[in-house]
């Protein structure tokens, strides 16, 4: 009798437990309280040894050749993940759909890495309006807004984007820089708010860092004291 009672109560407890775990892992499809289960979270490609300036992954943790030759205008990159599957797929999905499952985990990891830092202002890398219209949302600005709220730091829309620039993908470092000329500009009314300030510049993915370097130069020319980049993922040298 007692055994039957225990069996029944165990079954009902399991039922409640299963209902509580109403979502499943998007990768292994196991029941999980979050969209990515703990095992799959542990397998995500986190950023290991990297260049202390541009965060490019390497095996020695020293400055990379590019930063030694031509130091970028930004000071540091804070980034939790390497841009490779499944992180790259997650980010591609998030760009298309604002509520793509799994991305919140990446955002939370980035927020955790930023929690020890203090900045005076947050600036988002702007995207061309036609591209945003096509996408229907501006994921990078939303990310910047979330960061600004979490850090209790103002978000300044200090940079304008006057044209799309041709797609950066597939271009070398030099061509990327050339491609960016005249695309971004500092909005004059923000100049006074940037002087002597420590700025957090937000983008989704940093590839060569050409775009962020270009914007960092504009911010430093306006008198910003330091520029730290925050992104969800950093590409590895070969990609
Ligand atoms: Zn899983
Ligand atoms: Zn570097």
């Amino acid at each position: 009798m007692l055994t039957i009672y225990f069996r029944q109560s165990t079954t009902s407890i399991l039922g409640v437990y299963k209902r509580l775990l109403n979502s499943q892992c998007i990768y292994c499809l196991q029941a999980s309280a979050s969209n990515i289960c703990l095992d799959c979270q542990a397998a995500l490609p986190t950023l290991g040894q990297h260049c202390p300036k541009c965060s490019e992954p390497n095996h020695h943790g020293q400055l990379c050749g590019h930063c030694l030759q031509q130091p970028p205008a930004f000071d540091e990159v804070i980034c939790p993940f390497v841009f490779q599957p499944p992180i790259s797929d997650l980010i591609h999905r998030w760009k298309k759909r604002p509520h793509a499952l799994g991305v919140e985990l990446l955002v939370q990891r980035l927020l955790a890495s930023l929690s020890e830092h203090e900045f005076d202002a947050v600036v988002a890398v702007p995207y061309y309006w036609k591209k945003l219209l096509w996408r229907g949302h501006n994921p990078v600005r939303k990310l910047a807004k979330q960061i600004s709220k979490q850090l209790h730091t103002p978000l300044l829309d200090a940079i304008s984007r006057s044209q799309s620039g041709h797609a950066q993908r597939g271009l070398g470092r030099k061509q990327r820089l050339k491609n960016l000329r005249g695309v971004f500009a500092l909005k004059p009314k923000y100049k006074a708010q940037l002087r002597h300030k420590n700025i957090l510049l937000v983008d989704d993915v940093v590839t060569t860092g050409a775009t962020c370097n270009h914007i960092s130069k504009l911010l430093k020319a306006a008198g910003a004291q330091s520029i730290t980049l925050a992104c969800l993922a950093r590409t590895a040298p070969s990609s």
Side-chain angles (χ1 to χ4, degrees):
M1 194 61 191
L2 204 62
T3 328
I4 293 170
Y5 172 75
F6 272 127
R7 206 174 287 157
Q8 278 177 343
S9 59
T10 314
T11 317
S12 65
I13 288 169
L14 275 176
V16 170
Y17 187 62
K18 274 184 183 164
R19 275 197 296 278
L20 275 176
L21 297 178
N22 57 358
S23 59
Q24 53 177 186
C25 174
I26 56 173
Y27 294 118
C28 67
L29 306 181
Q30 296 294 314
S32 163
S34 61
N35 300 127
I36 303 177
C37 76
L38 293 178
D39 288 339
C40 291
Q41 281 185 31
L44 291 175
T46 49
L47 187 70
Q49 296 263 54
H50 57 268
C51 168
K53 195 103 177 146
C54 73
S55 261
E56 188 175 80
N58 61 30
H59 298 293
H60 45 73
Q62 306 294 317
L63 277 179
C64 73
H66 297 297
C67 291
L68 272 173
Q69 262 183 353
Q70 227 172 13
F74 51 81
D75 299 84
E76 196 193 349
V77 182
I78 297 176
C79 170
F81 294 103
V82 180
F83 190 69
Q84 64 187 49
I87 297 289
S88 46
D89 308 322
L90 271 179
I91 294 176
H92 285 313
R93 247 185 284 160
W94 168 69
K95 283 184 168 185
K96 285 182 197 146
R97 284 178 298 144
H99 302 294
L101 293 179
V103 174
E104 196 47 35
L105 174 84
L106 313 193
V107 174
Q108 289 307 323
R109 291 277 180 94
L110 176 60
L111 288 174
S113 334
L114 290 168
S115 62
E116 303 282 296
H117 296 71
E118 271 187 39
F119 303 97
D120 301 306
V122 176
V123 172
V125 169
Y127 282 79
Y128 187 48
W129 68 270
K130 272 187 187 166
K131 197 170 184 176
L132 296 178
L133 200 67
W134 179 73
R135 261 187 204 162
H137 75 129
N138 185 345
V140 172
R141 195 176 183 281
K142 268 185 206 153
L143 174 65
K145 196 153 192 182
Q146 207 171 338
I147 292 171
S148 132
K149 210 171 154 189
Q150 174 95 2
L151 299 181
H152 305 289
T153 306
L155 173 64
L156 304 181
D157 289 313
I159 303 291
S160 62
R161 182 166 198 152
S162 57
Q163 47 178 294
S164 68
H166 302 290
Q168 293 282 80
R169 197 180 292 175
L171 294 179
R173 198 168 275 262
K174 269 189 186 160
Q175 288 100 316
R176 277 180 184 241
L177 274 174
K178 205 173 159 193
N179 198 23
L180 290 168
R181 250 172 241 158
V183 172
F184 298 99
L186 183 84
K187 296 181 188 168
K189 66 173 180 176
Y190 287 99
K191 208 171 170 183
Q193 293 180 65
L194 296 167
R195 250 175 94 80
H196 307 306
K197 296 291 160 61
N198 299 303
I199 311 294
L200 184 70
L201 180 61
V202 180
D203 205 353
D204 49 359
V205 178
V206 168
T207 305
T208 61
T211 304
C212 290
N213 188 27
H214 187 78
I215 295 174
S216 299
K217 280 182 189 166
L218 296 174
L219 295 170
K220 283 219 163 148
Q225 187 171 305
S226 74
I227 319 285
T228 303
L229 307 189
C231 64
L232 298 174
R234 178 70 169 89
T235 52
S238 53
S239 42

